[in-house]
């Protein structure tokens, strides 16, 4: 291993190193010593992280180092350490293309940061040879130059598998006992607090659940400790960012230190804006946890870290240097994601004008509305993605296209809708424009009146002009990513919707595709016909425990109007009902009577009220020029939809409406088809004294209840019964039409007194009269007379049909009839009937050719196979015989049957064999 210690110049710039991963932090207690290759100081804390070789890892590494050092209380050296880390990690992940390991070590007198990559190539300079530091203007290779300029000590270490660059920054000398201080101020300028300042202290364990909850937290939010301990903080926190696009509450709780604003949903269902300071600690057993200190947002001065000097001071101190105005305002390097850039912008704008809050809005594509995308010092969870018009009123102060300064908002209520109810009095807003087109609006505000003049407006406009192009570029990049994701989403949604024709499944898919991708909850209303009212058909919430309460709430309010106008429209009824329910519940908990203006009957919890209390939109489901329903999407309390999500939901609603209407049409046609098919089946079989009868019928083809095979058993006159089993050539509806003709003709002719041959001859003529629609028909028809001695006499005619089989009590099987010509071929038929006597215990089995022609490859069940199965049925009831035959047929082949099958078994009861 080669170690280089350079008080002045470094070796030739080694090859760079890399980014992104969630930081893995650990701390070591006092007395743990670091590697003393450079010095023998005591290491009191340690934090490490590994970053993948991707571009966004550089920003993540900067945040990791910044949060770590601020958590250790080293704000004085944060900027220098972040700049050096950024350069070294860029070398690793961008230029060398490897992952980067970042290690921060805290000692009593400073901080050492080590950045290691997996690219150990280097060149060791000769002793006394001049060292080439490279050009400061080139893109890469500046890391060691900055180390030489900013760090007190630095060096490069090599091993066969990695290269490590380290630097150490010493703490500046400070007065004993003083970390930061501010000047004495008159009482009128001190921060305002409402009576006693309450500081909620909440401890969060390693799983993100609440482990401790003090009295002030109870007073601020209304929850007793026993009702919240053990629950995740995310259940209460209203985070200002959309999950997955930037830091969320779960990520913030893992950082060594975090400070900022968010909201806590109180027991009343309202979101309480708070200012929080998070500190990551560990107990004596090494278990990590996070201590959260929270105050009401307007009392944040109690916890807020003193602001750094304004950018104007920075500019004056660097006078004469060629500094990029964008980097002066936003910092270098700038965040590479839109949310990070916008959040950094509002924070720097607030600091630059010493404001209490700042906000940034982006214009929609048509430049008619502005959408809130970043804010600081405001209840951002409530305001994120809220929309305000570009032209809010007459005159230059009512348009976001021009700079505006308001000395006192209390004198002009509603002049800045975003700040209504926030306590802000002074505000200055400036437009963000690119090539003359409005792309956004930047504003800062203060709680005291008269804080800003035209001079501050010019300074803010100068900053806005510097960042407008970068913001627009990042916004277009985000829109492109959203559009690509939207296209993939719609393609997948179309495939899923096209894959089913079941109405209930289509409704479920509609809801499951929107929750939680597009909305927190969803409700689908359907309209059966133009004269029907909308019906609540399906409800879904991302939290399954909220579904029942949400369904109860929506069922108590009138459904939205079925307006065919395309696009999303706001529906305020759910939020209003949720607010009334929350108010009523709160008043009952206090032992008060509900006001008479609040309607009764909506039994819902405060949690349900909070889940429905945000923005709700309705999209019509229009198919074939008719409104067939509404798709309702909702957000939890104080949250809004962004414009891109609403456009995506509108595209989805069009596809879903067509899929739902197709499912409806398919269901209607299926119901009609099944009703017609069922009309072709005989009614319930009659009970015949002295004869057991069982029928099993299977129609081939999905959705078919009747095919080309048919059966019937009916009374002819007292003591006489007719039975038939037949097979029409073919399957499906065409064959089923002939089965209906045959079955009804048999009943009519038999009851007119015709014998078997005459019945079939007349049926043959009727089939031939059908002309081109006629089909061949095989038919076994017979008449049955039960006898007093327990036997039964049958007269049968077998017209081209598989012969009936007779099973005697001794197990022998024999055909019970002779074959004769089938029907529907010859005009002149000469048929005759045969008489059979079934003794007690005998079975007559009649089947169609779908049974005997059951195939598995080249094998076929055949008449012999059927006979073999029947010989095993001695002593069984008619039902058991039919069931055994069907099981044998099904087991003979693994494929689904391709032909209709019918089995008719008749048995004359006799003595059962043991």
């Amino acid at each position: 291993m080669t170690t280089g210690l350079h008080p002045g110049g470094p070796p030739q710039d080694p090859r760079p190193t890399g980014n992104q991963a969630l930081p893995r932090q650990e701390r070591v207690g006092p007395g743990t010593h670091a590697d003393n290759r450079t010095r023998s100081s005591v290491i009191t804390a340690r934090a490490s992280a590994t970053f993948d070789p991707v571009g966004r890892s550089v920003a993540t590494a900067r945040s990791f180092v910044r949060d770590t050092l601020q958590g250790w209380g080293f704000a004085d050296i944060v900027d220098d350490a972040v700049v050096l880390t950024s350069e070294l990690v860029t070398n690793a992940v961008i230029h060398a293309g490897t992952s980067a390991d970042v290690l921060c070590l805290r000692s009593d007198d400073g901080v050492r940061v080590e950045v290691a990559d997996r690219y150990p190539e280097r060149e060791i300079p000769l002793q006394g040879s001049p060292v080439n530091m490279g050009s400061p203007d080139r893109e890469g290779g500046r890391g060691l130059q900055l180390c030489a300029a900013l760090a007190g000590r630095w060096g490069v270490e090599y091993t066969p598998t990695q290269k490590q660059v380290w630097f150490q920054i010493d703490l500046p000398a400070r007065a004993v006992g003083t970390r930061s201080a501010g000047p004495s101020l008159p009482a009128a300028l001190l921060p305002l607090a409402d009576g006693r300042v309450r500081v909620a202290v909440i401890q969060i364990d390693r799983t993100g659940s609440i482990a401790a909850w003090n009295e002030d937290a109870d007073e601020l939010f209304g929850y007793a400790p026993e009702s919240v301990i053990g629950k995740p903080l995310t259940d209460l926190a209203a985070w200002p960012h959309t999950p997955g696009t930037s830091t969320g509450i779960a990520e913030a709780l893992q950082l060594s230190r975090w400070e900022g604003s968010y909201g806590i949903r109180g027991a009343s269902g309202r979101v309480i804006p708070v200012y929080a300071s998070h500190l990551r600690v560990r107990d004596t057993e090494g278990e990590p946890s996070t201590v959260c200190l929270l105050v009401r947002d307007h009392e944040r001065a109690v916890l807020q870290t003193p602001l750094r000097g304004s950018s104007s001071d920075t500019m004056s101190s660097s006078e004469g240097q060629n500094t990029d105005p964008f980097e002066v305002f936003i910092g270098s390097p700038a965040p590479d994601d839109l949310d990070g850039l916008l959040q950094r912008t509002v924070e720097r704008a607030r600091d630059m004008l010493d404001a209490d809050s700042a906000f940034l809005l982006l214009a929609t594509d048509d430049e008619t509305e502005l959408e809130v995308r970043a804010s600081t010092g405001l209840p951002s969870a409530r305001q994120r993605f809220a929309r305000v018009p570009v032209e809010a009123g007459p005159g230059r102060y009512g348009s976001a296209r021009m700079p505006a300064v308001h000395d006192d908002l209390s004198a002009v209520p509603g002049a800045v809708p975003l700040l209504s109810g926030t306590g802000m009095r002074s505000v200055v807003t400036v437009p963000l424009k690119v090539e003359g087109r409005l792309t956004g609006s930047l504003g800062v505000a203060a709680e005291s009146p008269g804080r800003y003049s035209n001079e501050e407006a010019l300074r803010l406009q100068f900053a806005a002009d510097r960042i407008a192009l970068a913001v627009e570029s990042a916004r277009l990049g985000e829109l492109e990513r959203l559009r690509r994701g939207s296209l993939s989403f719609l393609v997948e949604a179309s495939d899923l919707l096209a894959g089913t024709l079941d109405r209930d499944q289509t409704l479920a898919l509609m809801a499951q595709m929107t929750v939680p991708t597009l909305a927190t909850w969803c409700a689908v209303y359907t309209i059966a016909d133009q004269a029907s009212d909308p019906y609540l058909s399906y409800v879904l919430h991302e939290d399954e425990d909220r579904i029942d309460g949400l369904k109860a709430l929506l069922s108590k309010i009138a459904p939205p109007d079925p307006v065919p106008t395309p696009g999303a429209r706001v529906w305020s009824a759910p939020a209003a009902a949720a607010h009334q329910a929350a108010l009523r519940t709160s008043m009952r908990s206090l032992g008060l009577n509900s006001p008479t203006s609040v309607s009764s009957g909506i039994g819902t919890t405060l949690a349900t009220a909070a889940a429905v209390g945000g923005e709700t939109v309705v999209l019509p489901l229009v198919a074939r020029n008719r409104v067939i329903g509404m798709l309702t999407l909702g957000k939890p309390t104080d949250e809004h939809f962004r414009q891109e999500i609403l456009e995506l939901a509108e595209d989805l609603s069009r596809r879903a409406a067509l899929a739902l209407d197709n499912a409806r049409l398919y269901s209607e046609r299926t119901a009609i088809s099944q009703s017609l098919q069922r009309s072709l089946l005989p009614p319930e079989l009659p009970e015949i004294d002295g004869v057991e009868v069982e029928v099993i019928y299977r129609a081939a083809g999905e959705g078919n209840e009747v095919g080309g095979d048919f059966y019937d058993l009916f009374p002819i006159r007292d003591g006489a019964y007719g039975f038939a089993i037949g097979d029409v050539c073919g399957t499906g509806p065409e064959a089923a039409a002939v089965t209906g003709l045959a079955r009804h003709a048999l009943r009519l002719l038999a009851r007119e007194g015709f014998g078997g041959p005459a019945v079939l001859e007349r049926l043959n003529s009727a089939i031939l009269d059908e002309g081109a629609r006629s089909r061949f028909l095989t038919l076994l028809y017979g008449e049955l007379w039960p006898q007093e001695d327990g036997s039964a006499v049958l007269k049968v005619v077998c017209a081209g049909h598989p012969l009936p089989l007779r099973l005697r009590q001794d197990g022998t099987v024999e055909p019970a009839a002779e074959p004769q010509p089938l029907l529907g071929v010859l005009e002149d038929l000469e048929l005759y009937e045969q008489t059979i006597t079934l003794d007690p215990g005998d079975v007559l089995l009649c089947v169609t050719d779908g049974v005997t022609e059951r195939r598995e490859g080249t094998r076929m069940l055949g008449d012999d196979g059927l006979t073999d199965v029947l010989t095993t049925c001695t002593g069984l009831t008619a039902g058991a015989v039919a069931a055994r035959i069907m099981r044998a047929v099904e087991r003979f082949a693994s494929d689904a049957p391709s032909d209709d099958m019918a089995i008719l078994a008749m048995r004359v009861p006799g003595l059962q064999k043991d």
Side-chain angles (χ1 to χ4, degrees), residues 338-383:
L338 178 62
D339 285 325
L341 178 61
L342 299 183
Q343 195 62 34
R344 177 82 64 85
T345 298
V346 295
E347 291 170 357
R348 294 298 171 87
R350 181 189 65 180
D351 296 349
M352 183 179 73
L353 297 186
D354 193 23
D356 295 313
S357 64
F359 52 90
L360 194 150
L361 303 86
L362 295 183
T364 55
D365 291 340
D366 56 5
E367 296 184 34
T368 60
E369 289 185 313
L370 295 167
E371 192 175 64
V372 180
R373 291 300 302 272
S375 64
T376 182
L378 294 174
S380 51
R382 174 169 62 89
Q383 303 294 350

Side-chain angles (χ1 to χ4, degrees), residues 533-883:
D533 293 328
Y535 174 74
L536 182 61
S537 298
Y538 201 90
V539 176
L540 184 66
H541 193 282
E542 63 180 4
D543 183 353
E544 293 183 358
D545 294 337
R546 304 280 184 265
I547 294 178
D548 291 339
L550 176 59
K551 187 181 298 184
L553 179 69
L554 294 177
S555 63
K556 297 296 183 180
I557 60 179
D561 295 330
V563 179
T565 306
R569 69 182 192 276
V570 177
W571 185 31
S572 59
H579 175 69
Q580 291 180 356
L583 176 61
R584 193 167 50 252
T585 302
S586 299
M587 297 188 70
R588 280 199 301 267
S589 66
L590 297 174
L592 303 176
N593 294 325
S594 300
T596 56
S597 61
V598 179
S599 61
S600 59
I602 305 178
T604 185
T605 64
L606 292 176
T608 302
V612 188
E615 186 176 42
T616 302
V617 296
V618 178
L619 297 106
L621 298 174
V622 181
R624 298 176 175 90
N625 299 320
R626 186 174 74 87
V627 180
I628 63 172
M630 285 88 68
L631 178 64
T632 304
L633 306 179
K635 287 282 191 179
T637 298
D638 297 333
E639 290 193 20
H640 297 262
F641 287 97
R642 60 185 304 174
Q643 187 63 32
E644 293 83 359
I645 295 297
L646 294 179
E647 293 172 358
L648 179 58
E650 186 177 357
D651 286 340
L652 176 64
S653 68
R654 288 194 290 267
R655 290 164 169 80
L658 186 59
L660 183 61
D661 199 45
N662 288 340
R664 177 187 63 83
L665 294 174
Y666 177 78
S667 299
E668 290 178 355
R669 281 156 177 74
T670 300
I672 294 172
S673 173
Q674 291 175 346
S675 177
L676 291 175
Q677 290 186 62
R678 281 192 291 268
S679 69
L680 299 177
L681 293 174
E684 293 183 0
L685 299 179
E687 294 287 341
I688 304 177
D689 293 335
V691 179
E692 297 175 358
V693 180
E694 181 64 27
V695 174
I696 296 180
Y697 184 81
R698 299 284 190 273
E702 183 179 358
N704 291 332
E705 294 189 26
V706 178
D709 290 6
F710 69 96
Y711 68 92
D712 201 359
L713 178 65
F714 55 92
I716 299 176
R717 50 191 171 272
D718 292 341
Y721 296 86
F723 66 92
I725 183 169
D727 184 2
V728 178
C729 177
T731 60
E734 295 83 0
V738 179
T739 67
L741 169 65
R743 192 176 68 80
H744 290 293
L746 288 175
R747 287 194 172 215
L748 178 63
L749 294 171
R751 287 170 177 171
E752 288 293 323
F754 293 99
V759 169
L760 268 61
E761 289 168 2
R762 284 164 173 74
L763 175 60
N764 180 64
S765 299
I767 293 174
L768 292 175
D769 289 343
E770 290 292 306
R773 295 183 299 176
S774 66
R775 288 175 174 262
F776 305 150
L777 171 63
T778 68
L779 179 63
L780 173 65
Y781 173 75
E783 296 179 358
L784 169 68
W785 289 271
Q787 303 298 309
E788 294 181 358
D789 61 358
S791 63
V793 176
L794 293 82
K795 293 183 178 182
V796 299
V797 180
C798 186
H801 197 77
L803 299 179
L805 298 178
R806 176 180 182 176
L807 172 64
R808 294 183 181 275
Q809 277 194 311
D810 59 5
T812 59
V813 176
E814 60 185 8
E818 296 177 354
Q820 300 183 57
L822 54 76
L823 307 182
V825 179
L826 303 175
E827 292 185 1
D828 296 326
L829 289 180
E830 293 184 4
L831 303 174
Y832 58 91
E833 62 184 7
Q834 296 172 273
T835 302
I836 308 168
T837 299
L838 294 180
D839 296 324
D842 288 354
V843 174
L844 184 70
L845 176 67
C846 310
V847 300
T848 59
D849 60 6
V851 173
T852 57
E853 295 180 2
R854 177 72 163 152
R855 294 180 181 273
E856 174 70 21
T858 59
R859 298 187 307 122
M860 185 171 71
L861 181 63
D863 296 333
D864 293 339
L866 180 62
T867 300
D868 293 341
V869 177
L870 184 58
T871 57
T872 66
C873 298
T874 305
L876 299 180
T877 63
V881 171

Side-chain angles (χ1 to χ4, degrees), residues 338 437 471-481 483:
L338 178 62
R437 183 172 61 86
V471 169
E472 180 66 4
S473 177
R475 186 180 76 91
L476 292 176
E478 181 194 64
L479 288 176
E480 181 62 25
R481 289 191 296 272
R483 288 188 178 113

Side-chain angles (χ1 to χ4, degrees), residues 430-433 442 459-469:
V430 296
L432 275 69
K433 294 184 177 181
L442 176 63
R459 290 177 60 197
L460 190 62
Q461 185 67 70
F462 177 80
D465 293 341
R466 301 285 75 75
I467 66 166
L469 186 59

